[in-house]
Amino acid sequence: MPGNTHTFRKYLNPVFIETGSEQGYGIQQAVEAGYKAIFSIELNHSSYLYCLKKYAQNKAVTLIHGDSSYVLGEILPLINERCTFWLDGHNENSYPLIAELEEIKQHHIKTHTILIDDLRMLDEEKHG
């Protein structure tokens, strides 16, 4: 189920953190939902560059190029507000959901909202 403005608005917190920017649809939905700070992590370099150009004028949006399994742990210590996480970082070879959840678990705030896209992929990964 792709993210949408209605869902993101329903779980509105000061900060939105997305793993897997792709073409920026989640970013756009978060902007429309009203988040004051939006972070999006993208592993694919061309998708990162695309979103960087697309959202260059939006000061609320911060794009980060890298593997969410590691990058999430680097940015979370800098955040001191409740977040809504949209965990959608994956490709055909990798599904970093467990690593992302472990990083969120380490954060000092324990009242974040976590939304997970493609949860079915986790079961597929376990069962091949």
Side-chain angles (χ1 to χ4, degrees), residues 40-54:
S40 187
I41 304 166
E42 176 57 51
L43 180 61
N44 179 283
H45 190 67
S46 60
S47 293
Y48 165 75
L49 292 176
Y50 175 83
C51 289
L52 196 61
K53 183 177 178 180
K54 184 174 181 177

Side-chain angles (χ1 to χ4, degrees), residues 86-101:
W86 177 243
L87 303 181
D88 190 21
H90 60 83
N91 61 37
E92 62 278 353
N93 301 317
S94 167
Y95 192 62
L97 177 64
I98 299 301
E100 293 168 352
L101 290 170

